[in-house]
Amino acid sequence: MIRLAAALAFLFAGVLAALAQTSGPATATRSVVALLPDWPASQPRTEEPEGSAVAVGEGGLLLTADHVIGTAKSVRIRLGDGSVHPAEIVHRDTETDLALLRADVDLPVLEAASDPQPASPACAIGNAFGLGVSVTCGVVSATGRGGIGFNAVEDFVQTDAAVNPGASGGALVDSQGRLVGILSAIYTKSGDGDIGVNFAVSEPLARRVVEAARSGGSPRRTLGASLRPTRAGPLAAGLQVLSVREDSPAARAGLQADDVILAVDGWPVASVALLRGRLERADATGALTLRRGESVSEVQLDLSD
């Protein structure tokens, strides 16, 4: 009897743990809506007729993937109860594939997650194929992805949670329903079906775009150097400095032509898009790891606006 009781207690604890892991994402669905772009009649979209958007601020502030809006001049959102509401396009940032909307609706705002770890649980919430908001779950496959070729500024969280057309602009959340990123892209060689390699713009990068849009400023941070990718071996990928602009963050940090930037705040950077993404989400100061000749060193970079 003691063994049976212990086994039942263990089973019950497992059920409670499973419920705790699913209740967060289930609650987070209330913060995700279907996005209905009003495309011109001359430019119909049949492959992705609808998208998704996520509540990120009070007063009906929503974030979505910019490519979902496309050529549309106006958009609407559809809530879980089926009601449709007009939404204002507040800001578009094509370089990160993000757009900010505002609608006269009251939606719960998702709490930001801390940086996720690979293999941690993750759920994608979006309006896949225009069927309505739904949830798929998997894990965080990788973080700090960039140089993939989707956007000019990239800092992606990769996940194997199923993402299909229509889910773009939706939310990637952790087991507690906190926002990890904004669903942006499916990596596939042909067609648009999910193959388990999907990308979300990281929450810190998305947050910076939102904050810049609110203040009326630009989210872009410029290094002030001309760069090109270089590879001297699989473990030595980086960005070669071709020239440095006077009185720029790069110049003040002491960068010189032929230096090779290896990492930003410890994150390897092998593409300009990824470097730009890491600079955008960095604090006011960042650390650059450089290779100069045969030596490797670290310099501080002042990124204050």
Side-chain angles (χ1 to χ4, degrees):
M1 290 296 293
I2 295 177
R3 290 184 179 180
L4 177 59
L8 289 174
F10 180 78
L11 178 61
F12 184 63
V15 170
L16 288 179
L19 288 174
Q21 288 187 349
T22 57
S23 62
T27 302
T29 60
R30 297 181 298 177
S31 303
V32 181
V33 300
L35 180 64
L36 316 174
D38 297 318
W39 290 301
S42 60
Q43 297 177 315
R45 293 271 293 272
T46 57
E47 74 282 3
E48 195 174 10
E50 297 184 2
S52 309
V54 182
V56 293
E58 302 296 337
L61 200 63
L62 301 155
L63 197 59
T64 186
D66 184 71
H67 75 265
V68 173
I69 299 175
T71 58
K73 301 301 182 182
S74 62
V75 298
R76 294 164 293 146
I77 61 171
R78 185 176 64 241
L79 306 186
D81 61 6
S83 61
V84 176
H85 305 262
E88 175 191 2
I89 301 173
V90 176
H91 178 76
R92 301 184 69 171
D93 185 15
T94 57
E95 290 194 312
T96 59
D97 189 36
L98 293 172
L100 200 61
L101 314 172
R102 189 179 296 279
D104 187 16
V105 295
D106 185 17
L107 298 171
V109 177
L110 292 181
E111 178 186 350
S114 55
D115 277 337
Q117 297 298 314
S120 61
C123 292
I125 306 174
N127 177 32
F129 294 111
L131 297 173
V133 173
S134 59
V135 183
T136 58
C137 293
V139 299
V140 170
S141 303
T143 58
R145 288 290 199 221
I148 302 168
F150 290 119
N151 304 327
V153 179
E154 295 182 340
D155 182 51
F156 288 126
V157 177
Q158 181 183 328
T159 181
D160 68 345
V163 178
N164 286 291
S168 293
L172 184 69
V173 301
D174 64 11
S175 61
Q176 298 181 49
R178 299 175 302 185
L179 186 63
V180 170
I182 302 296
L183 300 175
S184 181
I186 302 170
Y187 192 80
T188 179
K189 294 298 184 181
S190 61
D192 284 326
D194 173 77
I195 58 172
V197 184
N198 308 304
F199 300 96
V201 177
S202 71
E203 189 279 331
L205 178 54
R207 182 178 356 113
R208 177 158 169 79
V209 172
V210 171
E211 291 172 350
R214 280 173 156 173
S215 65
S218 170
R220 296 293 86 87
R221 283 172 167 162
T222 58
L223 181 63
S226 178
L227 308 168
R228 71 177 177 190
T230 181
R231 283 188 176 275
L235 300 179
L239 296 170
Q240 181 183 8
V241 177
L242 301 179
S243 61
V244 177
R245 190 178 70 241
E246 291 185 6
D247 196 29
S248 65
R252 292 191 291 272
L255 269 67
Q256 302 175 7
D258 292 328
D259 285 347
V260 176
I261 301 174
L262 301 176
V264 175
D265 289 334
W267 288 86
V269 287
S271 73
V272 174
L274 180 54
L275 171 70
R276 295 183 68 190
R278 299 310 301 188
L279 291 179
E280 291 297 336
R281 57 162 292 172
D283 293 329
T285 58
L288 290 185
T289 303
L290 300 178
R291 187 176 72 242
R292 180 174 294 169
E294 299 299 321
S295 63
V296 175
S297 61
E298 188 174 277
V299 299
Q300 293 300 309
L301 186 67
D302 183 2
L303 297 170
S304 57
D305 296 329

